[in-house]
Amino acid sequence: MSPQAVSYWLLPSLESQVRLNHLSAQACERISLGGELSMLPPHITLYSHHLDTDQPSSEEQVIDRLQQIADHHHAVLLYPKVIEATRMLTQSLVMRFNPEALAELHPWFLQLRSNSQGELGYQLDPHLSLLYSQAPLESRQELAKHLFLPTKPLMFERVSAVMHPLTIKSPADIAACTTLHECSLVSSA
């Protein structure tokens, strides 16, 4: 088995997920010029680290960390700022949020990073991938210009832990993502 990692994802409410799924579907319909397309559930990665699959308690530790995040943080409302394409497969077409999103999510990142045994050097960069594509960058950049950014803020009210290959370089790596556990966040009301 190839080296594995675990990522902690912030997940949207069901209403926001429907809106994001619709936007991703539009992007998939409009993308052209080859390359496989892949999608994952809409999410923001809060933190990633190595997962020692040889240790039977490693998944239990991941679930415990996830539960601690869920117990100490409230649902958050994030404001979309821009849709853009980058050269990285894992950021083929992303939605970025207002600058306050980084400040809002930084305590989550710090909590997950503390006592992390398998530090990967992950840097928090709040974005949501709409799709993963190997289409030429220029095609994805053009697509980003024609997608409509949601005008209303998006609610995020769940977290999950996802196991995946340590490096993600292909659609097969994306397809290998497996949810270990999911928790609801404390309601902010």
Side-chain angles (χ1 to χ4, degrees):
M1 177 185 259
S2 63
Q4 296 288 298
V6 65
S7 291
Y8 299 87
W9 289 357
L10 180 62
L11 303 171
S13 66
L14 294 179
E15 178 186 326
S16 292
Q17 182 173 339
V18 167
R19 292 167 54 199
L20 292 166
N21 286 345
H22 180 72
L23 188 57
S24 289
Q26 284 181 328
C28 286
E29 288 173 8
R30 291 180 165 199
I31 194 76
S32 61
L33 297 175
E36 286 186 57
L37 294 178
S38 301
M39 291 175 56
L40 288 170
H43 67 276
I44 297 171
T45 301
L46 297 168
Y47 187 71
S48 294
H49 64 79
H50 288 278
L51 181 64
D52 188 354
T53 54
D54 294 332
Q55 296 295 322
S57 65
S58 62
E59 288 185 22
E60 290 173 17
Q61 292 172 348
V62 166
I63 293 169
D64 287 345
R65 286 177 114 182
L66 184 69
Q67 189 61 56
Q68 289 173 13
I69 286 292
D71 291 345
H72 291 96
H73 295 280
H74 295 283
V76 294
L77 202 58
L78 299 177
Y79 295 81
K81 180 181 175 190
V82 67
I83 296 174
E84 65 182 21
T86 76
R87 295 190 185 283
M88 295 172 35
L89 176 64
T90 55
Q91 293 186 18
S92 297
L93 188 67
V94 299
M95 176 186 300
R96 296 203 181 273
F97 297 91
N98 63 336
E100 292 80 11
L102 181 60
E104 178 90 28
L105 299 177
H106 197 254
W108 307 45
F109 167 77
L110 292 176
Q111 183 179 352
L112 287 164
R113 188 178 72 179
S114 68
N115 303 318
S116 178
Q117 302 294 328
E119 177 72 40
L120 289 173
Y122 182 80
Q123 299 295 313
L124 182 62
D125 175 22
H127 67 275
L128 186 140
S129 293
L130 297 169
L131 62 84
Y132 305 86
S133 170
Q134 294 174 323
L137 177 60
E138 296 77 21
S139 296
R140 291 183 280 117
Q141 289 172 328
E142 189 63 27
L143 172 61
K145 293 177 190 175
H146 297 286
L147 292 174
F148 293 104
L149 191 67
T151 56
K152 295 180 182 176
L154 300 169
M155 177 63 74
F156 290 82
E157 60 186 21
R158 300 171 290 139
V159 287
S160 68
V162 178
M163 184 171 65
H164 55 83
L166 183 61
T167 55
I168 296 180
K169 296 181 180 177
S170 71
D173 295 332
I174 292 167
C177 292
T178 306
T179 299
L180 297 174
H181 194 69
E182 182 179 308
C183 298
S184 294
L185 294 167
V186 176
S187 176
S188 56

